[in-house]
Amino acid sequence: MKRTWAAAALLAVTAAGCGAGSAVSDYGTVIKGGKGQSVPVEVGQGQRFSLTVPDNPSVGDQWSLVEVPDAKVASFISEEHESEGGAPGSNGTGYFVFNAKRQGTTVVKLYNCWRCGTEKTPSAPDSIRESGTATFTVTVK
């Protein structure tokens, strides 16, 4: 009897500690994109999804959400980043997390202003060449 209660308590604590429902631990369906790409996305109503891009802030990647979706179709939850390694310069992924709301189609644009610093537009030739947009056409069914 005590073992059953202890196992149930441990399970409850473990489940609570997983962060279920938080954007950090629940990216939902992950859709990959990148600079210069247009990606179609199909999700169901109420579904959480993430639009992802290769991300490495230590070398100058600076992704931002520049065209938000129609809020009736999909709502923005958060922006998250995960590194593939602990060392400076490690590649990673940027996650832009959304919730599908109602049926319809909307466009989300992410822009990488490469090595722009505090500026919103690239000015140096390298920065202009390496900057770019990832476009996602989101259809909620």
Side-chain angles (χ1 to χ4, degrees), residues 5 10 17 46 49 57 68 83 112 114 126 138 141:
W5 181 85
L10 179 60
F49 63 98
V68 296
S83 178
N112 184 359
W114 192 76
D126 285 352
V138 179
K141 301 232 174 198

Side-chain angles (χ1 to χ4, degrees), residues 105-127:
T105 299
T106 189
V107 173
V108 177
K109 288 187 180 178
L110 306 177
Y111 182 69
N112 184 359
C113 196
W114 192 76
R115 293 191 178 174
C116 291
T118 59
E119 302 299 317
K120 297 290 182 194
T121 57
S123 57
D126 285 352
S127 183

Side-chain angles (χ1 to χ4, degrees), residues 9-39:
L10 179 60
L11 182 60
V13 169
T14 303
C18 289
S22 73
V24 174
S25 66
D26 182 10
Y27 296 135
T29 300
V30 175
I31 299 100
K32 295 180 181 183
K35 287 183 263 187
Q37 294 180 354
S38 291
V39 179

